[in-house]
C-alpha cells in the first residue's frame, strides 16, 4: 500500500522512496526506447532543444526516423493530448540508435560526447518516475511499473537502491538540489518513524 507525501510543492508517491530500481542495460538492452505505443513526453522547451541539436545527431538517425521527422517534426501530440517525441513503426523512439545489441539515445550519446548541450527529455531521465500535472497545477510523482524493467527492479533490490537515490541526478535537474535534499530528509524521517523501510 502506498501513500502520498508532500515534498515542497510536489506530491510524491511513497513508492518512489520504498521501491528499488537500477537500470541494467546489459540485461534489458534499452528496450524502454523501442517499446510502448507513444513517444516520450516532452515540453515545448525540450522540443526547441531537440530541434537545435537535430543537425548534429541527424546522421545517427535511421532512414525511417529521418523520414518521420521530415514529415511531422521531432514531436507530435498523442491520443491523450500529450506532446511526445516522434516514433517509428508505432513504437520506436525516433532518437534511438542501435549499438552492440543495445538501444541507445542519440541525444544522450551526443551530449555525453560534448557535442550538444541537451541530454534527453526529463521524462526519459526520470523513468521509472512519471510526472503528472494536476488540474490545480500541482505536480505529482508516481512510480511506474513496466515489465521491460523487471531486470532493473531485480538489480535495484539486489543492491538495495531506492528509486529516488537511483534518480538523484534527474530529480535534481528537474526540481533542484534543495528540493532533493528535502526529499532525502523526508525519507530519513519516515524510516526513523518506521513508516517506510
Amino acid at each position: 500500500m502506498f501513500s502520498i507525501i508532500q515534498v515542497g510543492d510536489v506530491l510524491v508517491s511513497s513508492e518512489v522512496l520504498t521501491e528499488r530500481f537500477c537500470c541494467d542495460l546489459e540485461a534489458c538492452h534499452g528496450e524502454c526506447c523501442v517499446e510502448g505505443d507513444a513517444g516520450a513526453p516532452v515540453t515545448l522547451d525540450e522540443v526547441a532543444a531537440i530541434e537545435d541539436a537535430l543537425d548534429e545527431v541527424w546522421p545517427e538517425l535511421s532512414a525511417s526516423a529521418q523520414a518521420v521527422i521530415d514529415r511531422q517534426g521531432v514531436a507530435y501530440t498523442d491520443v491523450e493530448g500529450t506532446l511526445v517525441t516522434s516514433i517509428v513503426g508505432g513504437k520506436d523512439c525516433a532518437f534511438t540508435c542501435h549499438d552492440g545489441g543495445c538501444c541507445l539515445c542519440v541525444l544522450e550519446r551526443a551530449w555525453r560526447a560534448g557535442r550538444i548541450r541537451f541530454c534527453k527529455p526529463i521524462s526519459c531521465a526520470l523513468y521509472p518516475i512519471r510526472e503528472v500535472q494536476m488540474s490545480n497545477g500541482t505536480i505529482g510523482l508516481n512510480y511506474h511499473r513496466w515489465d521491460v524493467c523487471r531486470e532493473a527492479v531485480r538489480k535495484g533490490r539486489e543492491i538495495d537502491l531506492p528509486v529516488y537515490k537511483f534518480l538523484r541526478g534527474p530529480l535534481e535537474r528537474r526540481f533542484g538540489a534543495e528540493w532533493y535534499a528535502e526529499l532525502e530528509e523526508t525519507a530519513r524521517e519516515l524510516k526513523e518513524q518506521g513508516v517506510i523501510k
Side-chain angles (χ1 to χ4, degrees):
M1 188 68 184
F2 71 91
S3 56
I4 301 297
I5 300 151
Q6 184 155 357
V7 180
D9 55 0
V10 180
L11 300 178
V12 181
S13 164
S14 59
E15 292 182 307
V16 169
L17 308 180
T18 59
E19 294 297 324
R20 274 33 183 182
F21 195 94
C22 183
C23 282
D24 189 348
L25 195 58
E26 288 182 18
C28 72
H29 308 293
E31 196 175 352
C32 61
C33 296
V34 292
E35 284 301 326
D37 53 12
V42 285
T43 65
L44 287 172
D45 286 346
E46 287 176 328
V47 169
I50 293 169
E51 287 171 345
D52 286 346
L54 198 54
D55 285 347
E56 182 63 39
V57 300
W58 188 258
E60 298 166 58
L61 300 176
S62 69
S64 300
Q66 291 174 348
V68 168
I69 292 168
D70 274 340
R71 189 171 65 250
Q72 72 179 27
V74 300
Y76 71 102
T77 302
D78 70 7
V79 292
E80 295 175 359
T82 304
L83 190 62
V84 295
T85 56
S86 288
I87 56 174
V88 177
K91 62 187 188 83
D92 296 10
C93 177
F95 298 97
T96 297
C97 65
H98 297 269
D99 187 7
C102 282
C103 302
L104 302 172
C105 174
V106 297
L107 296 167
E108 183 175 11
R109 193 161 70 169
W111 175 79
R112 288 184 183 278
R115 291 166 32 220
I116 62 174
R117 296 178 64 192
F118 177 72
C119 178
K120 61 184 173 184
I122 194 65
S123 66
C124 298
L126 281 175
Y127 197 79
I129 292 177
R130 285 262 173 93
E131 184 177 324
V132 181
Q133 189 87 32
M134 297 176 203
S135 57
N136 64 0
T138 303
I139 293 170
L141 299 180
N142 295 317
Y143 172 70
H144 184 254
R145 287 175 170 77
W146 192 11
D147 191 49
V148 301
C149 292
R150 63 191 169 278
E151 291 301 323
V153 172
R154 180 200 52 75
K155 185 175 179 180
R157 289 176 179 164
E158 203 174 87
I159 63 174
D160 194 27
L161 184 63
V163 172
Y164 76 97
K165 288 189 178 181
F166 171 68
L167 292 174
R168 178 179 184 155
L171 285 166
E172 287 186 344
R173 172 182 157 196
R174 174 66 181 90
F175 300 104
E178 194 174 307
W179 181 89
Y180 184 82
E182 186 177 341
L183 177 69
E184 277 192 314
E185 179 62 18
T186 301
R188 187 188 64 75
E189 288 173 1
L190 292 173
K191 275 185 185 176
E192 283 180 0
Q193 295 164 14
V195 177
I196 65 170
K197 292 183 179 183

